[in-house]
Amino acid sequence: MTSVECMNATKFDLVPDPRGGAMAIAPRTGRIIQPGEVLLRTAALTTSLVPKWKGKRCDWCCRRREELKACSRCKNTFYCDSDCQAISWKSHHRKLCGILAKGFHFSASYLGQSTEQKTNSDLLLNLYGSLLLHDEGRLSGKASESQRGILDVELLQENALMCFWALGPLQLGQSRPSPALPKGLPSGHLATLNAAWSRFDNNNFVLHNISSLEPEAGAYAHGIFPLASRCFNHSCVPNAWPAFMLQDKTAWIEIRALDFIKEGQEITIPYLDPALPLIERRNRLQQAYGFICDCPRCMIEGRMAHPSDPVPNESLLQEELISYALPQLRIHDLRTTLELLKSLPRHLWSIRNPDFIKHLTETFENQSHDGPYEDAWRSGKALLALCLILYPRYHPLTGRLPISGLSMVYITLSRLLCTGTRESLLECSSRREHRVPLVAAPCLHFGFCRVILTSRWC
């Protein structure tokens, strides 16, 4: 067992997982991890931009820039400045520039792929360049396969490529076909790249911006973060969350605590959107990761019937949803996701239907813009109640504020909408003990409910 500490964050221990592989647990120090604490901060081994962002974001640091400089040779990569270009050159591009200059991105094999496959092609190709420069023994078949049992986090963090090969590969038949690669690569190299694909097909992360206030919010890159993949298992009711940052000309991942985590408790993150229906979550996890989730949430939902269509009287359903999840909008009334799901009345099971989530989000968005504003107040509370049932407390999609702060957001929004004046907003937000954000922006993102709270304090 070993511990790791990053940026003075809470330590976690990496121990063998009885189910296979490894798992991260809170250290046995007698201290409880607090919500919001950073458990791990680590840089990407490599990243690749989603095709629509090529030429709009830097191919190294992923930052959006109005003006980018193209590589003078291949004309296929774009950088903020000479610093990013030099770092990329030393990392992998020196071995890829000639390959890209021959027109791989214009080949039928590359263009015939989906957006996800194109992004993964570039990610695998960038990893290939890193292997050529920093781990050529792996490509020649001379490297050892003994890394899979390593639990020394400090060692794995110091050597990202070693950590990558410590990841467990998908079994034959579980991994999807490898994405397109340039023709003419040595056959021995292709075998190693197929082995690499079997590891990151289910271990790469999608870098995204979930803020509805950010132009063209959503996924902008894929990235390989081997240490995060190595340490943290999945749960549909996670107690931690991966956040992505672009700092110091590097893409970073931070694993942040979502809830109080007791010593010895496993630290988990979500591999997919927790708002997805049970059947879809289990199917996706089995197809992509090779396991059927049996977390406490899945066990509770497994005893419920599949969510039916919402009842015709939607206004009544909203009121009952508010009464159930937000009885008085006080912090001591807030229950956990598991508690809310476990005692969810049968007549409210239909709220788990993704069509209801989508419709309620659209209803609130339309009413908050065009009225009736009194109805927007009700649908907004119902949307908040729904998020608290489907997402863990302090989840970034419901805001990292206590429920008292969230309730004040909606009180503020209600006064603003009903009076149509800014004075009511300022009157409410002047109470500094509540620390009220001035913006509460709902949006529909990737087809699922999102409530984004932008922290801009008075």
Side-chain angles (χ1 to χ4, degrees), residues 312-323:
N313 192 338
E314 185 177 327
S315 296
L316 178 60
L317 182 62
Q318 290 183 18
E319 292 293 349
E320 292 177 339
L321 177 59
I322 294 168
S323 298

Side-chain angles (χ1 to χ4, degrees), residues 75-303:
K75 311 293 185 183
N76 276 256
T77 53
F78 301 85
Y79 302 101
C80 297
D81 49 37
S82 57
D83 291 338
C84 280
Q85 185 173 13
I87 299 172
S88 177
W89 185 262
K90 293 177 182 179
S91 171
H92 58 263
H93 191 64
R94 180 160 66 90
K95 292 292 186 178
L96 303 180
C97 191
I99 296 175
L100 295 177
K102 295 178 181 178
F104 170 62
H105 283 156
F106 301 97
S107 65
S109 60
Y110 180 83
L111 294 176
Q113 301 180 114
S114 66
T115 296
E116 181 186 12
Q117 289 170 329
K118 290 176 183 176
T119 310
N120 284 331
S121 278
D122 292 334
L123 193 62
L124 187 55
L125 197 57
N126 289 347
L127 179 62
Y128 178 55
S130 295
L131 291 173
L132 286 171
L133 284 170
H134 309 293
D135 195 9
E136 194 168 3
R138 173 75 57 179
L139 291 169
S140 62
K142 298 178 181 178
S144 169
E145 293 290 336
S146 60
Q147 289 94 332
R148 288 191 59 188
I150 296 177
L151 296 178
D152 188 332
V153 179
E154 293 181 359
L155 177 62
L156 294 173
Q157 190 171 29
E158 291 173 359
N159 192 326
L161 283 172
M162 175 188 291
C163 186
F164 174 77
W165 292 109
L167 300 175
L170 285 174
Q171 300 301 316
L172 186 64
Q174 290 181 338
S175 180
R176 296 175 296 176
S178 175
L181 289 169
K183 295 181 179 179
L185 299 184
S187 59
H189 291 189
L190 289 174
T192 302
L193 290 177
N194 284 330
W197 168 248
S198 71
R199 284 166 169 81
F200 86 71
D201 178 23
N202 67 327
N203 277 308
N204 63 341
F205 288 83
V206 178
L207 285 70
H208 59 268
N209 187 326
I210 62 174
S211 173
S212 63
L213 303 181
E214 177 73 14
E216 298 188 65
Y220 57 84
H222 289 191
I224 301 176
F225 298 88
L227 189 57
S229 298
R230 172 69 170 159
C231 296
F232 300 100
N233 291 326
H234 164 81
S235 175
C236 298
V237 57
N239 52 21
W241 173 262
F244 304 99
M245 293 163 299
L246 305 178
Q247 295 178 349
D248 303 323
K249 294 191 176 295
T250 304
W252 299 84
I253 189 173
E254 279 189 357
I255 304 298
R256 301 171 182 170
L258 280 179
D259 211 334
F260 301 97
I261 307 176
K262 300 178 181 179
E263 57 179 338
Q265 183 179 350
E266 184 179 9
I267 302 169
T268 58
I269 62 175
Y271 288 2
L272 40 65
D273 191 323
L276 290 170
L278 171 65
I279 294 177
E280 187 171 353
R281 292 201 312 269
R282 283 185 163 174
N283 287 342
R284 287 194 183 190
L285 290 169
Q286 187 172 22
Q287 292 172 6
Y289 302 96
F291 68 87
I292 297 177
C293 184
D294 59 354
C295 71
R297 174 172 176 170
C298 287
M299 299 303 290
I300 291 174
E301 290 194 62
R303 294 190 288 269

Side-chain angles (χ1 to χ4, degrees), residues 275-278 280 306-310 349-362 386 390 444 446-449:
L276 290 170
L278 171 65
E280 187 171 353
H306 185 69
S308 59
D309 294 332
W349 285 4
S350 59
I351 67 170
R352 296 155 48 235
N353 189 313
D355 290 337
F356 175 70
I357 301 172
K358 179 179 179 180
H359 180 67
L360 181 58
T361 305
E362 292 175 341
L386 181 62
L390 299 178
L444 187 66
F446 291 134
F448 303 109
C449 172

